[in-house]
Amino acid sequence: MIDPLAEVVSLLQPGARFSKVVIGAGPWHIHRSDAGQPFYCVVLEGACHVEVDGQAALTLQSGDFLLVPAAWGVAMSSLEPPPAGIKSLPVAQGNGVFRIGDQDGPTDLRMLVGHCSFDSPDADLLVALLPRLVHIRGEQRLATLMTLVGEESREQRPAREVVLARLLEVLLIEALRSNAGTTASPGLVRGLADDRLALAIRAMHAQPDRNWTVAQLASEAALSRSAFFERFNRTVGVAPMAYLLAWRMALAKHLLRKNETGVAAIAERIGYSSASTFSTAFTRHVGQPPTHYAREYVRTSVQDHDQEQVISARS
């Protein structure tokens, strides 16, 4: 059976950037800008407030896990924050441990914090299919996975990058598929949690080459056309055909980067009647024709490789 969530996470190509243990004591407040990068954390002991991208603040308690696939601004504070305008600076204590707030007093918070990146050039497109925020309560498996990510990121073991990539994939999938205690915003996760909508979403992923209509997708979900359209829009956050277009374009860009087949074959594989029809749709959606996109990707990849070789030679 096609697994849409696994497909999206795999195409995102998650990579570890940084993982740390944060200890809090007394009143503190921190804010960081992540430029749209993934942010996640789990509270092991105590509690704190968190505000993501200007949304309403959440109170994270022991056992809570938070995932933000694209964070622009994350503010966190103690339950009793310091006076307005006071910012706290984390102090490194070695071995990936940081302390915020009172440096000497008793601690009242311990959490694992992770920052990763999505290496796919289509990250923005794929992230748009996910919830903006996922808050999960009481899933010990997520804390265990985060501990493994942290340990692996700090050790220079053989195949470290491969192991980290797989651990992050498992962590993201586990977080996104968790249902108990989840308050996910509209997106693919909520769509797959809806038994009726999940049938239509899996059908789109299984047969992206089919000439789908809203009526046909509604039939897959055993709903009327109007009920399906409204329910999909409300739950997933986009209209059914907009979701299908986004997924088709993500597949097309992935296939163009692999450079294993021509434009006409890609067009047929994702449901376009001709190469010209696909090229028009791709250009409108991406901003450049498919052949230009493929050439630009190859050129950029060569430049990046050459730059890495120069850096390696100097080190």
Side-chain angles (χ1 to χ4, degrees), residues 10 86 142 158 231 309:
S10 178
I86 300 297
L142 293 168
R231 189 158 157 177
Q309 292 292 96

Side-chain angles (χ1 to χ4, degrees), residues 72-106:
W72 294 94
V74 178
M76 306 186 82
S77 69
S78 52
L79 294 183
E80 295 186 10
I86 300 297
K87 297 292 189 296
S88 306
L89 294 176
V91 177
Q93 296 191 320
N95 199 31
V97 178
F98 291 77
R99 187 176 175 109
I100 49 177
D102 191 339
Q103 296 300 306
D104 300 314

Side-chain angles (χ1 to χ4, degrees), residues 280-299:
T280 300
F282 188 92
T283 303
R284 185 184 304 117
H285 195 82
V286 178
Q288 58 182 324
T291 51
H292 291 184
Y293 174 85
R295 283 199 297 267
E296 181 68 17
Y297 175 75
V298 171
R299 185 184 66 81

Side-chain angles (χ1 to χ4, degrees), residues 245-313:
L245 175 62
W247 179 240
R248 282 173 168 169
M249 290 299 111
L251 284 178
K253 293 172 79 173
H254 176 67
L255 293 170
L256 286 166
R257 292 195 303 275
K258 290 176 67 176
N259 196 29
E260 295 177 354
T261 186
V263 171
I266 293 174
E268 181 179 1
R269 184 166 174 179
I270 65 171
Y272 286 88
S273 58
S274 67
S276 60
T277 304
F278 163 63
S279 183
T280 300
F282 188 92
T283 303
R284 185 184 304 117
H285 195 82
V286 178
Q288 58 182 324
T291 51
H292 291 184
Y293 174 85
R295 283 199 297 267
E296 181 68 17
Y297 175 75
V298 171
R299 185 184 66 81
T300 304
S301 297
V302 170
Q303 287 179 344
D304 290 345
H305 179 266
D306 290 345
Q307 187 175 8
E308 289 175 2
Q309 292 292 96
V310 170
I311 293 173
S312 177

Side-chain angles (χ1 to χ4, degrees), residues 159-183:
R160 171 180 175 271
E161 296 304 321
V162 174
V163 172
L164 273 173
R166 296 298 176 267
L167 280 174
L168 282 170
E169 283 189 9
V170 174
L171 174 65
L172 292 172
I173 291 172
E174 184 68 25
L176 290 166
R177 76 179 183 177
S178 295
N179 291 320
T182 300
T183 53

Side-chain angles (χ1 to χ4, degrees), residues 28-276:
W28 54 270
H29 180 274
I30 56 174
H31 181 274
R32 61 172 289 137
S33 298
D34 282 325
Q37 297 298 311
F39 167 84
Y40 52 97
C41 69
V42 62
V43 178
L44 303 176
E45 297 175 8
C48 66
H49 294 311
V50 61
E51 184 179 309
V52 178
D53 297 337
Q55 300 183 49
L58 292 171
T59 298
L60 300 182
Q61 304 172 2
S62 180
D64 282 12
F65 179 91
L66 181 70
L67 168 66
V68 185
W72 294 94
V74 178
M76 306 186 82
S77 69
S78 52
L79 294 183
E80 295 186 10
I86 300 297
K87 297 292 189 296
S88 306
L89 294 176
V91 177
Q93 296 191 320
N95 199 31
V97 178
F98 291 77
R99 187 176 175 109
I100 49 177
D102 191 339
Q103 296 300 306
D104 300 314
T107 62
D108 45 33
L109 172 74
R110 188 166 66 92
M111 62 181 174
L112 297 175
V113 176
H115 306 274
C116 67
S117 60
F118 293 141
D119 295 333
S120 169
D122 305 327
D124 290 346
L125 180 64
L126 293 164
V127 166
L129 304 179
L130 301 177
R132 292 179 60 191
L133 182 149
V134 177
H135 178 204
I136 301 166
R137 183 153 286 168
E139 288 285 347
Q140 180 58 40
R141 286 162 60 91
L142 293 168
T144 301
L145 286 167
M146 280 200 67
T147 299
L148 291 173
V149 169
E151 290 175 352
E152 193 66 33
S153 66
R154 288 188 289 273
E155 300 292 337
Q156 296 299 322
R157 297 169 177 164
R160 171 180 175 271
E161 296 304 321
V162 174
V163 172
L164 273 173
R166 296 298 176 267
L167 280 174
L168 282 170
E169 283 189 9
V170 174
L171 174 65
L172 292 172
I173 291 172
E174 184 68 25
L176 290 166
R177 76 179 183 177
S178 295
N179 291 320
T182 300
T183 53
S185 55
L188 176 60
V189 175
R190 279 182 57 180
L192 291 174
D194 184 311
D195 291 341
R196 296 288 186 89
L197 297 184
L199 294 171
I201 293 171
R202 289 195 177 96
M204 283 188 269
H205 280 253
Q207 296 179 284
D209 58 334
R210 182 171 170 179
N211 187 25
W212 290 106
T213 65
V214 174
Q216 290 170 336
L217 291 169
S219 178
E220 292 284 335
L223 293 167
S224 69
R225 185 185 184 283
S226 58
F228 169 74
F229 185 86
E230 189 279 330
R231 189 158 157 177
F232 194 101
N233 225 350
R234 170 170 42 85
T235 306
V236 182
V238 294
M241 302 313 289
Y243 179 91
L244 178 60
L245 175 62
W247 179 240
R248 282 173 168 169
M249 290 299 111
L251 284 178
K253 293 172 79 173
H254 176 67
L255 293 170
L256 286 166
R257 292 195 303 275
K258 290 176 67 176
N259 196 29
E260 295 177 354
T261 186
V263 171
I266 293 174
E268 181 179 1
R269 184 166 174 179
I270 65 171
Y272 286 88
S273 58
S274 67
S276 60

